[in-house]
Structures are given as structure tokens and as C-alpha cells.
Amino acid sequence: MKHPQLLFKNRIPGETVFFDGYRKSGGYEGLEKTIKSMSPAEVTELVKASGLCGRGGAGFPTGTKWSFFPSDQPGPKYLVCNCDEMEPGTYKDGVLLRTDPHQLIEGMIITAYALQTPEAYVFIRYAYEDCAQNLERAVAEAKEAGYLGKDILGSGFSCEIHVHRSAGRYICGEETALLSGLEGRRPNPRLKPPFPAVRGLFDRPTTVNNVETLANIQHIVTGGADWFKSLALTEEGAGTKLFGLSGHLEKTECFELPLGVTLDEIVNEHGGGVRGGKKFKACLPGGASTPYLAANHLDVPLDFTAITRAGSRLGTAGVTVFDEETCMVAVTLNLIRFFARESCGWCTPCRDGLPYVAWLLEQFEQGEATEEHLENLRGQFRNIAGRSFCALAEGAMGPVEGLFNCFEEELVDHIKKGRCPFK
Amino acid sequence: MVNLTIDGKEITVSKTATIYEAAKEAGIDIPVLCYAKKLLPYGACRVCLVEVEQMKGRLIPSCTTPVTEGMVVTTMSDEIQKVRKTVLEFLLVNHVIDCPVCDKGGECDLQDLTYEYEVVTNRFEGEKFDLPTDEVNPLIERNMNRCVLCGKCVRVCDEIVGYGSYSFINRGFETKIATAFDRGLNCEFCGQCVSMCPVGAILPRPFKFKARPWQIKEVDSVCSYCGNGCTITMGVKDNKVQTIRFNDKIGVNDGNLCIRGRFGYSYANSDDRLTTPLIKKDGELVEASWDEALEAVAEGFKKAAADKGVGIISGARLTNEELFLLKNVAKAIGTENLDHSGGECYKGVTEGLVETLGVKASTGTFPQVEDADVILSIRSDFYETHPVFGMVVNQAVKRNEAQLFIVADKKGKFGKLPNAETLLHKPALEVNVLNAMAQALIEDGSAVTDGVDGLDELKKSLADYAPEKVAAATGVPAEQIKAAAKALAGANKSAILLAYGLPYTAQSKEIAVAAANLAILSGNVDKEGSNLYLCGEKANSQGAIDLGVIPAGSGQGAQQMLDAAAAGSLSALYVVGEDMVTSYPDREKVEKALDGAGFVVAQDLFLSPTAQKADVVLPAASFAEKDGTFTNAERRIQRVHPGITSPGEAKTDYAIFELLANKLGAGLSYTGPAAVFAALANEVDAYKGVEFNAIGAQGVVWGGEELKAATKKVVPVKGAAAVDGKFVLLTGSALYHSGTVSTHAKGPVAVVPEAYVEFGSEDATVLQVADGDMIKIKANGAEVQLKAKVDKRLPQGVVFAPYHFAEAGLNKLYKGEAAIAVEVSK
């Protein structure tokens, strides 16, 4: 099924669209419209009405987040774009920036106007050097054209965008850790409250948004809130979403699909079905930190609400598929090892608890697990989720939660057989 | 205020309190590892989790969660018990269980919690760390295998001390606390990290294997070094001060100490202490009994009094009671020649303040500085002279965003703070800069002039100190001078800090007057919460001023006594607790005086270069052996308690004065320090009504939290001329030392064992000087050799050498000047 394309409308595989191409496709019209005919508050209201939810993983309504921002407070204020995409199975922001980087720049300028922040940063991980260069070129082109810099389009509003290459780690995706990192400190998460909108970057009011979230803004401005909402296939959803497919599929690519598309359509139509004609066993629907969905969930529409009812989260919509021959205990162990390694080491449950969960899962994989290990694993899941300083450990427990929800018998099977049944 | 319920108890607390603080106030204990009252909320260890009815579904960290109206908190349940136990199990997974040999055993938070939560076995298995112990320095040992990563050491070093020695490195399970590049610790060794560590990961090395906590007797007293007056709690065993214990419950310092307070106690235990009186026979000092010695002293003084007179010079580390008895001894001898601390360093500043403000003490207390929005620190960044007061300044600037202006001849640590600026002037020109600030206020019309006397003359004299003109002479940009003046005048609450001491004798009065002028003109004197701070170098500098240990009537001051003795017109000198040969300006003059006086008595802890020249040496007691009071730089009278008895036959100055007075026939008959204090309180107005035994843990601030200036008189004061010369030598205090006594303390000596001359990196490059090179310094016809130290604090053409060290002979070069031109060569 062909779906309407916003973010990928200019997509030509292997190529990047810069200023001329972007302008030809209607680029910067949203900015012109904003600057010439809208007040900052009107932009925020529009985004609120559009129902746009944050595309970075948490799915928090963007307009609501902006409405907390003290845009009329004097002194420095900041907009920060989170481009520290490092979750296993998530790569959509990279694709977006390799495809059409000006969308982010335009979205950021409109957002900066809405929030009245004269300074904006893109926090981009070092591994995305090509994307950073794309952005730097886009920034230079936008400045050249008068869309960025001092007194944009004669409006009196000025905005600078800085591209900051971070040494980035997974924890930098946590917005307060990102701010610590951007300040040149160790990227440890910070206490909330105060929230970044009150005390963020350099202790000043700050809003942090994801790349894809910001790239949607000018489309909302030009197309309107109602149109944006209508793009989704479900009542609760709004807009389109970049789905990054990976794992045991015939086609592992990034697609722009409406929110609310079913898992079945993603797997069997866009993903070309499970690789080698095997059966679908499970998937991570939204990156490494989301609980698994299994074969009985194929009819679940993927938007922020419906998927929660199915016991998982949409997260970043990085869909990783596992076929019938995959050991889900092994998958979980692999994921937990990643989270344990990426823990910043700040709080006890995450720093010391995750390696322990990994150790427990190793016992299963090595065929040395007992009933006691099973109960310990169940207990740890409860001890860590909701007990840690930030959301990293909570996210790390997502796959463990999924393991218990959908595949507990597989754990038991490991104990009974005294080995991994898939080996 | 906020009302909430904790464990069924209804309580009302301030709305800024966290759940943990609210519970604590209500007497409900919640366990914590990473929480510390004086540090910013952290929330990492997760043992303080509680349940909050309004936030069901997850457990809430009580140490970081602010209270809200109507909150219902449960601090213990099966769930909480389980979670806390799990956290402890996690922490114990990689923690070495070496409690039998760990110095923290018996007072370790992890050990206590493990016991309380009955963590008998550990369900978890994991690797134990086997990290090497950091034993590179002699004072602080770091065993990271015991670390629970509470981060208190990292935070205290950053938030309070402002040094930033530690950081977390690595991720996940491998996370650990490390120094830059994971090398051995090399810092200021204040030991704040030692005091904050909840486990045995950071320990004081001098205390290793000395005693178990329960074998130690704790005695609260006051540090004997600077005028800060920090509470130190001595850990005593076997009649030795074994360590200084962490104590943030009482005193002015919130548990903070500097290297001197934390590790400098050991001079009391020194093997070099004098243990018996000595009498010079045939040019040799030989041991004598107290009776012989006192007889000789009494005879000598009587004879001298009848001849050309006796001079008495005291130090300012004696207690108030002892200083009072000394005055009585002076009376018994019949001399009015009584003075302290070289007669210069206190005299100028007090005279200056009396002339202008009519007071001779700080007008405020330290906590008020924390609330100040503008701070002007004169002479140094204050950290170097009064480190713990400096930590208050640091917090004012870092936490409360106060602006800090430092008028100094060298850069300091706090100059690097975000809101700090150093008005870096050429040596000896403090007054010029302060005058220019005053002139800037007059020029822009923001000077406070209501009820101010002497304005016209001041205005006339300040005409020479236009900021632009002063800028050219001092090197401080005019804009900076104006901005600092403007900020000071515009402050809601300001603090002006002025340190004084033996190495800063020159222009004392001028600086005090210039500072007071500025305090008056900027409104500092009038505004509530704005104050001027006068901070003495020694533990009881303020007490000595209050008690008037100064020449009475026609008596001579210290310098006059030295001149007289050198000229043969004073027959005896009684030197109490001062090593004049080492620490007074102009060593030649001091030596001549000691040689010229017919009869010299030295009363000291050590056979100092001064004592070596004495005819009779009386062995005195250290602070650790004394009962009495010190008055700190806030005017706070605090109790000093004895923790140990004196070695050998050494006696407290109190006891010596009493015996001597009796020998002299004066018959002092006080029943003890309380009685002496009662007598002195009767004579000293400020101390009236204060009762010795009623002085509590927080001491008594005489004159109240804010001392009102009696007068507001601005007085013209002349600046100095710049010192000509390719190199100019400054002297002063080094952070690690105080006076000369710290050179007998193992801690400070371990870090700074000997004198040095410090070069700025620019000069060092030009001169090709590296750390440790021997440098010849010539001035005033004398030459000394010192080891070079290269740093980044000094501007070009300025070198610095600390004055504490006897062997260095720095005072052969300077005769009391603020700065001197020197020749420097390798």
C-alpha cells in the first residue's frame, strides 16, 4: 500500500537533497509563513492541536512540552535537538539527515521562533559524521538565504544553530544527560525537577526535541493541524512515523508510514516477510528498550496508544524482527549486555543490577539455571524497573518484561533441558 | 510551610525540605549513603527509597524529592525492606569484605546497613574488583575496591572546596572514582573527601592501624591555626591525638577543614616538643627543674626591671585566659612593654578601623557572607589565608551566584569561578586600587554620603586616584575598577574581606582605612547583612586585640622593644609562643635584639631559633592540652578543651604564668580558666555577661551577629608607589602552613616540606627555571637560596616565597616592606 510521504517526500536512495532541491519541494515556505503571519504562541498552539508526539521514544505531546517553556523569560534560552541515536535497532534519524537535512534546520528555526530561543544546538553523535556535515552545509545554506542568523526575513528574530559533535553514548539520549554532555561534563542524568524547561543547558530554560519531531514542524505549519492528524490511520494517532526495520526480514529499510499501521503490514508488506520464508516469532516494536510483541500481536496498530494496550511501547519505532529459530533468552541477554555496558554508573540498581541480570540470563544460556534463578530474574525485574535514577534501567527491563509476558515457557524450557533449546 | 504525614505522624516543615529532611526532623530515620546535608541533592545510591501514596506504582527517593502539601509517606514496608536489601546486596557484590583490617570498621555506613538489614548471604555473584590502592601521597589513601560510588568525594571537592580533584570515569559496572588521568592523588589535601566517605575507600593515612573507632575518645576543641576558629574533634588514644574526627554538628565550619586543621594536629605529638625547662649554662642550654628555671626567670626579670626594663612579646595562639594572665604577669614584673604578633600586623588594621568605623573587629559572621551578592576580597582570594572561610566564599559564588572581586597581587583559585574577577595589581598597590574604587563611586554619584564625616577631605585626596590614572599605575583596567565599585555599591548584601597577619605588616593601616572608606561609601556599613570582615592569621588574633595585649601607657610596642633591645636599652625580653627569628620581618634586627637584651626567656613548644638564643626556655603546652577560649575572626568566643596531657614536664602557658606570678610575688589565685574568664569579662567590655561555662558548642559572638559601626568617618589615605625592579618578591602565607608551628606538623610538612620561591610560568620560561632548581635571591644586601616552584598564579616580574620556614631565612631579605625588588639568578 502506498502511503503519503512527508519527511521522505524528497527521498532518493543514496542521495542527499540540499537547498535547491529542498526549496523546489516547498522548503522554507513553512518558515516564511510562520515568520510573516504567526505569533510564537500561535505556533505552539498549532503544534498542540496537531497532536504531534515526541518521536524520540517517550512519545510526549510536543505542543504540551513547549507550552511549559518560559518563552518570555529574559536572558539566554536554548533549543536542543537530540540526535544521539544509539539504541540498537534505531537508525531513522540518520536516514532522515542523509536524505533531507534542511527539514531539521527549518523545523528548528520555526521551533526556536515559537520558543523565542536565539540559540539552538544539534547534539549529534560522532558516528554520524556524514550527517553532521550535511547539517553544517544546510546551516550555511540557510544562513546564506537569510533563513537563519540575524534578523530572519526582517522579522527582528535572530537564531543561530550550532552543530555539536558529541563523544556520545547511549546515556546521552536521556535529555538531562545530554545537557550535561553538551556542557562538557560527564553525561550523567540530572535530577528532575527542576525540569530542563526551568533549568536546562547552562542552567537556563531549555527544550530538548528529537530530530524527527522537529522535522515534522514545518509540515504541520504548511498543512495544518487537522490535515496532520488525519494522516494517521487511528483516531488517537497523528502524522506519519519513520519505521526503521531490522532483523530477520527480507527488506531491512527505513519507511515512512502513517501512525497506526499494523505490525502485520510492516512485517509482511514493507519488510517483505520474514527472511527465508520462516515464521514470525517476535519483534522489538520500538527499539531495544521496548517489550516484545509476539505473533498474536500482528494485528496491533502501531501508534502510541494502541501499542501500550498490547503491553509494549512504540518507542523510536525501530522494529527488529526475530524468526521462529531465535532464542528469546539469548536476544534478551544480548540486549541486557548492551544496557549494562551503557549504564552511566550513577545509581546502584542500574550499575550493579544490570550486570547481575545479564549474569542470570547467562546461567540460562549456559544451561545452569534453576528455579531459583528464574525467581531471581523475576524479582530483579521488579527491583530495577522504577527504582533507578533515570529511564535507562527502566528501558533495559523492557525486553525482560517482554520475556516474561510472552516467552516465560522458553525460560522454563532452558531449565528443564539444562541447555539452550535453540543451540 | 508544608504539612505532610510520615509513617502516620503529622508534621510541618519548610517547603524547601526533602522527604528525607522532613523525616529526620520528625525523628524518623531513613537510611542514606549518598546524601550529605551540605551537598546538593544527588539520589544515586537508592537506599532511601520510600512509598508515597500520591505517587503509587514506584518507590520515591526521599533524599531528592521535595515535600508537597498533603503528602503521605511510608518509610518502611515489606517492599521497601526488600528493595533496600537488594541495593545492599548489589553494593556488596563487588565490595571487598575486608572489614577486619579496614580503618572504617565500626563506623562504616555500609557495614551498619548490612547489619541492620541482615544481609547475611548474597544471592548475587559477580567479580570483585582488584584495583591498586593509591598510596602515592602520605596523607590520603584511596582504596577504590571499597568504594560504593556515592560520589560524595567528587561532589565535596567540587561544590565546597572548589578544587575538583575527583571525577567518575568509565561506564556501567566499571565505573569508578578517579583523579585526572587516573594518577595518584595530588591536591590540596584538605581531606574533605576523607571526612565525607561513608565507607573505607578514602582514609587518612596517618591514622592507619592506630585505633578502632570505639577505642577513641572524642574531644571537641578549636583549631589552633588561623582565625577561622574551626571546630576540630580530636580522636584521642594513648594520650595522643590520633586523628581529627569528622564533626559537622557543631562549630562554624560545617565539618569542613583545611589541611592544617585535618592533618596539622600532629605537632602536638611531635618528638621535637620541649619536655623540660632549659637554662643556659656556659653558652649551652641544659635541662633544669621548673623550680630552678622559674627562680632564674623571676630573678632575671626583677633585676632587669630595676635596670632598663623588661619587654614582653606574645603570640596570638594563647587562650584568652592565658593572655589575661600574661597581662597580670606584666603587672607583676612592673612593665608596660607588652605586645603581640610583632606589634604590626594587628596594630595597623585595628587603628585604621577605629579611626573610621570605631570598631576593631569584623562586623558580621561567616554565614552572612554566604548570603552576600557581592564580595570584595582584599589581599588574596581568601582561600589561601583562611581556607574554610574561603569555602563559604566559594559557595556564595557558586551556589548563590554572588559576584566576587579579588583585589590581589597574584591570582588565586577562586579567581577562576564563573562570577569572579581578579583585580590583579602590581605589588604593594592595594590601597591605590581601593582608592580608585572609592573615587569611581564619588565620580558616578553613587557614593553613600549621608551622615558621613570627613567627606570633603577625602574627595580632595581622591582626586589623585581617578580610575584611569590608577589603572596606568597598577595595571588594573579602569573599567574593571569602576565595574567592581558599581557592583559593590549596588549590592543588596555585600561582604568586604580583609586578611591580616605577620607576613602582611606593611601598609596595614592604609589598607584598613581604604577598605573602611569603601565600606562606608558603598553602603556596606549601613546595609543589614552587609559587613566588613577582619580576619587574623592566628587562632586567637581577635582575642589578643579584644584583651588589649598591647603596650599600656608609655609602654613600648614590639618593634620599639626590639629596637631598644638591639641598642642595649632594654634589659630583658620575654618571648611567649613566638618564633621571632623566623617569622618577624628583618631577621638581623631580631637577632641583634635577642643578643642585645641581657636576659631572654622563651616560652614555646619547640626549641625554635628564637628559643635557642634564650637564657631560659620554658616548655609550653599545645592547644590540645589546654582548657580555655579562643575568639575567632567573627568575634565568636569558643571553648578549647584539653584532649591530652603535656609531654614530660611541659606546662600550659596558664600554669606557667601562674607559677611565675607567684614567684614574682603577685600571688595570682584563680581557681581555673572559668575564674580567669570571669575576671577578664569584668575588665573587657565586649565580654561582659559572657559566662565561661555557658559557652556552648556554637560559642558566643560578642557584640551580636552584626556589630554596628560606631562612627562613619572617611579618612584620606595615600597609596604606595610601585616597586621598581625587574623582579619583585612577595611574601605571605602558603595554603598549607600557618605561622611557624605548622612546620612541626607532619601533615603540612609532607606536602610542603620546605621553603620555595614561586615563579609565574612566563618568567619561568624566560629564565629557564624548572621546579626544584635552586634559585639565588638577593635584596637589601642579603642573599638566600630557595627551590623554584613554577605555577600560573603570578604575573610577569613577580615572585613569591612563603615566610614560614626557619632555615630559608626569607626575613633576611625583607624588613617589613609590602614587596621588595630582588635580583634573581640560578
Side-chain angles (χ1 to χ4, degrees):
Chain A
M1 201 194 293
K2 199 78 183 128
H3 293 292
Q5 302 287 291
L6 271 62
L7 303 172
F8 277 174
K9 71 177 165 189
N10 291 333
R11 188 174 185 198
I12 306 164
E15 279 183 39
T16 307
V17 174
F18 283 102
F19 190 74
D20 294 338
Y22 185 62
R23 280 293 283 156
K24 257 180 226 150
S25 71
Y28 289 107
E29 281 169 19
L31 175 62
E32 284 180 12
K33 182 179 169 190
T34 308
I35 294 269
K36 284 179 184 148
S37 66
M38 292 174 85
S39 73
E42 279 169 350
V43 182
T44 301
E45 277 311 308
L46 178 73
V47 172
K48 220 180 194 175
S50 77
L52 173 68
C53 288
R55 304 301 199 221
F60 192 80
T62 306
T64 310
K65 189 175 193 170
W66 290 4
S67 65
F68 299 143
F69 193 81
S71 49
D72 44 5
Q73 186 177 316
K77 298 182 288 285
Y78 301 99
L79 167 67
V80 176
C81 170
N82 183 348
C83 186
D84 192 75
E85 189 173 54
M86 198 185 155
E87 187 157 79
T90 303
Y91 58 97
K92 48 143 186 127
D93 293 339
V95 175
L96 182 61
L97 294 179
R98 284 180 196 106
T99 301
D100 200 355
H102 272 282
Q103 286 188 94
L104 175 62
I105 301 303
E106 186 181 358
M108 283 182 78
I109 302 167
I110 298 173
T111 307
Y113 175 77
L115 303 174
Q116 292 292 300
T117 57
E119 300 283 332
Y121 287 87
V122 182
F123 185 91
I124 187 165
R125 56 190 295 242
Y126 70 98
Y128 279 7
E129 176 58 29
D130 56 336
C131 299
Q133 287 178 16
N134 287 352
L135 283 174
E136 279 167 344
R137 178 168 161 191
V139 165
E141 287 174 340
K143 274 193 128 166
E144 177 75 33
Y147 293 120
L148 183 60
K150 283 216 167 73
D151 190 18
I152 296 169
L153 300 175
S155 64
F157 175 70
S158 302
C159 176
E160 292 292 338
I161 295 179
H162 311 276
V163 179
H164 174 89
R165 286 170 182 77
S166 81
R169 292 314 310 180
Y170 182 60
I171 189 64
C172 296
E174 205 282 338
E175 65 175 359
T176 59
L178 180 151
L179 296 177
S180 298
L182 190 50
E183 288 176 3
R185 297 165 189 266
R186 183 181 164 86
N188 282 341
R190 303 179 184 174
L191 274 181
K192 287 188 264 190
F195 288 89
V198 179
R199 270 180 96 121
L201 186 63
F202 307 118
D203 284 350
R204 303 294 310 173
T206 304
T207 282
V208 183
N209 282 129
N210 167 263
V211 176
E212 189 188 341
T213 312
L214 292 167
N216 267 305
I217 303 299
Q218 68 273 21
H219 299 296
I220 294 172
V221 169
T222 47
D226 293 339
W227 164 79
F228 187 77
K229 247 179 121 58
S230 72
L231 289 171
L233 300 179
T234 52
E235 192 53 39
E236 291 138 326
T240 64
K241 180 81 195 76
L242 301 184
F243 287 87
L245 275 47
S246 63
H248 301 149
L249 287 172
E250 287 293 342
K251 272 162 73 187
T252 51
E253 286 174 29
C254 187
F255 297 98
E256 181 176 14
L257 303 170
L259 272 173
V261 63
T262 61
L263 181 58
D264 184 63
E265 183 184 326
I266 288 181
V267 171
N268 290 317
E269 199 170 311
H270 305 290
V274 176
R275 199 170 59 187
K278 288 182 189 147
K279 270 196 209 145
F280 174 90
K281 181 175 186 181
C283 76
L284 290 162
S289 62
T290 52
Y292 304 116
L293 292 181
N296 59 326
H297 294 124
L298 278 168
D299 59 344
V300 171
L302 299 189
D303 74 14
F304 288 101
T305 333
I307 199 171
T308 315
R309 285 195 289 270
S312 187
R313 293 186 298 112
L314 185 59
T316 59
V319 183
T320 309
V321 172
F322 307 104
D323 69 20
E324 57 189 321
E325 289 173 10
T326 315
C327 171
M328 294 313 288
V329 178
V331 169
T332 311
L333 171 59
N334 185 354
L335 292 169
I336 288 293
R337 279 184 180 147
F338 167 80
F339 288 115
R341 193 188 74 210
E342 293 300 324
S343 162
C344 77
W346 174 289
C347 69
T348 316
C350 184
R351 176 188 66 236
D352 292 340
L354 296 184
Y356 179 63
V357 172
W359 178 84
L360 280 172
L361 290 165
E362 277 164 16
Q363 304 313 300
F364 284 90
E365 276 302 278
Q366 290 160 7
E368 284 158 18
T370 62
E371 277 297 319
E372 203 183 330
H373 288 106
L374 182 67
E375 287 322 303
N376 256 343
L377 185 62
R378 200 194 307 274
Q380 276 334 297
F381 156 61
R382 293 209 190 98
N383 268 330
I384 292 170
R387 311 284 190 258
S388 58
F389 187 87
C390 77
L392 189 147
E394 189 130 16
M397 288 299 105
V400 180
E401 186 184 354
L403 194 60
F404 276 103
N405 285 348
C406 307
F407 302 104
E408 189 168 344
E409 72 279 12
E410 225 169 86
L411 284 163
V412 176
D413 212 25
H414 278 74
I415 299 173
K416 272 191 196 147
K417 295 203 167 91
R419 66 181 169 82
C420 172
F422 294 89
K423 269 182 195 156
Chain B
M1 298 305 270
V2 166
N3 304 298
L4 73 161
T5 312
I6 303 181
D7 291 348
K9 211 168 168 177
E10 280 176 21
I11 49 179
T12 306
V13 289
S14 134
K15 64 177 182 195
T16 57
T18 60
I19 298 175
Y20 173 81
E21 286 159 353
K24 195 165 185 177
E25 231 181 282
I28 299 166
D29 253 353
I30 299 175
V32 282
L33 279 174
C34 71
Y35 168 88
K37 190 176 66 181
K38 64 181 162 194
L39 302 176
L40 297 174
Y42 196 65
C45 74
R46 315 312 270 186
V47 297
C48 73
L49 295 174
V50 295
E51 283 167 16
V52 176
E53 209 167 281
Q54 288 84 346
M55 304 182 199
K56 275 245 161 78
R58 58 198 185 97
L59 295 181
I60 304 300
S62 64
C63 74
T64 57
T65 310
V67 291
T68 50
E69 185 64 37
M71 207 176 223
V72 180
V73 181
T74 311
T75 69
M76 184 48 87
S77 67
D78 285 353
E79 175 81 0
I80 294 170
Q81 166 91 17
K82 238 198 289 183
V83 167
R84 288 189 187 151
K85 196 164 172 174
T86 306
V87 168
L88 292 169
E89 285 177 283
F90 282 148
L91 290 171
L92 291 166
V93 167
N94 52 29
H95 189 95
V96 284
I97 312 291
D98 62 350
C99 308
V101 290
C102 177
D103 270 309
K104 200 76 176 183
E107 55 177 348
C108 166
D109 290 356
L110 182 64
Q111 199 183 45
D112 292 350
L113 286 174
T114 304
Y115 187 82
E116 187 186 336
Y117 285 81
E118 301 178 28
V119 188
V120 180
T121 55
N122 202 333
R123 288 171 291 163
F124 313 149
E125 293 168 39
E127 51 177 314
K128 300 268 181 207
F129 288 131
D130 189 17
L131 302 165
T133 308
D134 173 9
E135 307 173 317
V136 176
N137 74 82
L139 298 178
I140 298 173
E141 177 178 295
R142 297 188 309 130
N143 181 343
M144 287 301 116
N145 300 310
R146 295 175 182 155
C147 177
V148 291
L149 293 164
C150 68
K152 281 188 196 169
C153 53
V154 179
R155 289 143 66 205
V156 78
C157 196
D158 174 35
E159 289 175 30
I160 309 275
V161 184
Y163 190 86
S165 221
Y166 298 117
S167 175
F168 287 86
I169 65 165
N170 301 339
R171 280 174 292 156
F173 196 69
E174 305 291 322
T175 306
K176 66 169 185 171
I177 309 282
T179 55
F181 305 105
D182 207 4
R183 290 185 295 211
L185 186 65
N186 186 9
C187 61
E188 292 168 353
F189 299 103
C190 65
Q192 229 69 262
C193 51
V194 175
S195 73
M196 297 304 283
C197 185
V199 292
I202 307 183
L203 291 167
R205 288 192 76 192
F207 181 56
K208 259 194 95 109
F209 302 121
K210 288 287 194 296
R212 279 307 191 183
W214 56 85
Q215 298 172 318
I216 271 181
K217 189 175 92 184
E218 290 192 342
V219 181
D220 297 331
S221 194
V222 175
C223 179
S224 65
Y225 284 108
C226 78
N228 212 104
C230 297
T231 288
I232 52 172
T233 299
M234 296 179 273
V236 177
K237 187 184 165 231
D238 303 333
N239 201 34
K240 275 209 157 96
V241 183
Q242 302 285 6
T243 189
I244 298 299
R245 309 271 295 161
F246 176 55
N247 186 352
D248 63 351
K249 293 188 181 64
I250 60 168
V252 297
N253 50 314
D254 210 6
N256 297 323
L257 290 173
C258 69
I259 183 178
R260 314 189 281 227
R262 179 114 37 212
F263 294 113
Y265 61 86
S266 57
Y267 74 87
N269 304 336
S270 170
D271 292 337
D272 299 339
R273 287 277 302 268
L274 290 167
T275 53
T276 133
L278 305 170
I279 296 180
K280 195 163 268 176
K281 285 182 181 150
D282 306 325
E284 290 277 318
L285 283 167
V286 294
E287 291 186 4
S289 72
W290 270 106
D291 211 44
E292 280 175 89
L294 288 169
E295 196 66 46
V297 173
E299 275 313 303
F301 283 167
K302 275 182 199 160
K303 241 200 262 166
D307 191 9
K308 289 169 193 154
V310 180
I312 305 177
I313 299 176
S314 161
R317 292 200 215 276
L318 272 62
T319 63
N320 287 319
E321 296 71 23
E322 290 168 340
L323 291 172
F324 183 75
L325 289 183
L326 178 59
K327 285 179 78 177
N328 281 296
V329 168
K331 270 184 215 150
I333 295 170
T335 180
E336 292 183 318
N337 305 330
L338 171 69
D339 207 350
H340 75 275
S341 298
E344 286 188 15
C345 66
Y346 78 89
K347 193 167 167 239
V349 284
T350 49
E351 283 176 3
L353 288 195
V354 167
E355 247 179 70
T356 48
L357 304 176
V359 295
K360 42 185 178 178
S362 299
T363 62
T365 57
F366 294 156
Q368 289 169 310
V369 177
E370 213 169 317
D371 295 331
D373 48 351
V374 177
I375 299 171
L376 174 69
S377 176
I378 303 167
R379 237 180 207 145
S380 82
D381 69 349
F382 236 74
Y383 192 77
E384 194 137 352
T385 49
H386 297 79
V388 177
F389 191 13
M391 292 175 200
V392 175
V393 173
N394 182 29
Q395 284 175 79
V397 177
K398 272 220 303 227
R399 270 194 203 160
N400 303 341
E401 297 183 5
Q403 267 184 293
L404 172 64
F405 296 97
I406 305 160
V407 176
D409 45 24
K410 52 185 174 295
K411 289 184 218 160
K413 183 165 83 172
F414 291 158
K416 295 177 198 151
L417 289 174
N419 296 332
E421 269 184 59
T422 306
L423 281 65
L424 187 66
H425 59 78
K426 286 183 188 158
L429 303 182
E430 285 91 349
V431 176
N432 306 49
V433 176
L434 297 176
N435 275 349
M437 285 176 70
Q439 172 63 13
L441 290 182
I442 287 173
E443 273 176 20
D444 75 4
S446 59
V448 173
T449 50
D450 275 358
V452 177
D453 292 333
L455 211 56
D456 293 340
E457 283 128 89
L458 182 75
K459 277 184 182 167
K460 252 181 258 160
S461 77
L462 284 181
D464 287 342
Y465 293 92
E468 286 74 15
K469 202 169 160 191
V470 170
T474 61
V476 184
E479 286 317 307
Q480 207 182 14
I481 293 172
K482 286 182 194 169
K486 196 173 172 187
L488 192 68
N492 289 321
K493 289 178 181 177
S494 63
I496 301 176
L497 318 180
L498 176 59
Y500 68 91
L502 265 177
Y504 312 109
T505 51
Q507 300 184 65
S508 287
K509 185 172 175 183
E510 289 82 353
I511 293 181
V513 169
N517 286 345
L518 200 51
I520 292 168
L521 297 175
S522 69
N524 169 287
V525 171
D526 298 318
K527 286 179 201 159
E528 205 185 309
S530 291
N531 288 295
L532 178 85
Y533 293 83
L534 184 64
C535 297
E537 185 194 19
K538 306 279 168 67
N540 204 24
S541 288
Q542 188 59 45
I545 293 171
D546 295 342
L547 265 71
V549 182
I550 51 173
S554 59
Q556 298 172 343
Q559 294 304 320
Q560 291 164 292
M561 288 185 235
L562 293 176
D563 286 334
S569 49
L570 195 64
S571 304
L573 275 175
Y574 184 18
V575 188
V576 183
E578 284 275 74
D579 179 7
M580 306 193 298
V581 172
T582 302
S583 63
Y584 281 24
D586 197 352
R587 180 175 289 202
E588 201 186 342
K589 174 170 132 184
V590 174
E591 285 177 335
K592 265 192 202 154
L594 290 170
D595 292 337
F599 182 64
V600 176
V601 178
Q603 186 166 314
D604 207 319
L605 275 68
F606 301 100
L607 194 61
S608 66
T610 305
Q612 283 166 30
K613 287 190 163 289
D615 297 287
V616 181
V617 179
L618 304 176
S622 75
F623 80 103
E625 297 138 36
K626 286 181 179 177
D627 191 358
T629 58
F630 284 157
T631 306
N632 83 347
E634 303 165 294
R635 297 171 276 114
R636 194 181 296 272
I637 308 164
Q638 302 191 104
R639 278 293 300 274
V640 177
H641 294 283
I644 56 174
T645 54
S646 301
E649 292 174 34
K651 287 184 192 299
T652 60
D653 297 283
Y654 180 107
I656 299 170
F657 293 146
E658 204 167 44
L659 289 169
L660 181 57
N662 288 338
K663 277 269 183 227
L664 291 164
L668 292 180
S669 57
Y670 296 108
T671 53
V676 178
F677 190 89
L680 79 86
N682 211 26
E683 276 187 29
V684 180
D685 279 349
Y687 289 54
K688 274 216 167 89
V690 182
E691 212 179 305
F692 186 80
N693 286 317
I695 298 172
Q698 289 309 112
V700 173
V701 180
W702 70 254
E705 291 289 313
E706 288 201 67
L707 191 65
K708 268 250 157 281
T711 55
K712 281 205 303 186
K713 186 173 176 219
V714 286
V715 177
V717 56
K718 269 213 160 73
V723 180
D724 261 345
K726 194 166 172 221
F727 286 98
V728 176
L729 172 74
L730 303 172
T731 184
S733 275
L735 169 60
Y736 305 89
H737 285 281
S738 173
T740 57
V741 71
S742 61
T743 62
H744 296 277
K746 280 182 191 157
V749 167
V751 184
V752 180
E754 56 188 342
Y756 57 84
V757 56
E758 187 179 328
F759 288 88
S761 47
E762 288 167 326
D763 283 335
T765 310
V766 174
L767 294 171
Q768 293 188 308
V769 166
D771 276 341
D773 289 354
M774 285 310 287
I775 304 292
K776 290 184 196 128
I777 302 179
K778 269 193 234 173
N780 284 336
E783 179 186 303
V784 299
Q785 287 205 23
L786 296 170
K787 268 192 189 159
K789 190 177 149 188
V790 179
D791 216 321
K792 288 183 176 159
R793 302 191 308 157
L794 295 167
Q796 234 173 338
V798 179
V799 295
F800 168 80
Y803 85 109
H804 316 281
F805 300 91
E807 306 78 40
L810 198 71
N811 53 353
K812 289 178 197 162
L813 302 184
Y814 73 95
K815 317 226 178 260
E817 306 90 335
I820 46 170
V822 290
E823 280 174 52
V824 173
S825 60
K826 275 221 259 192

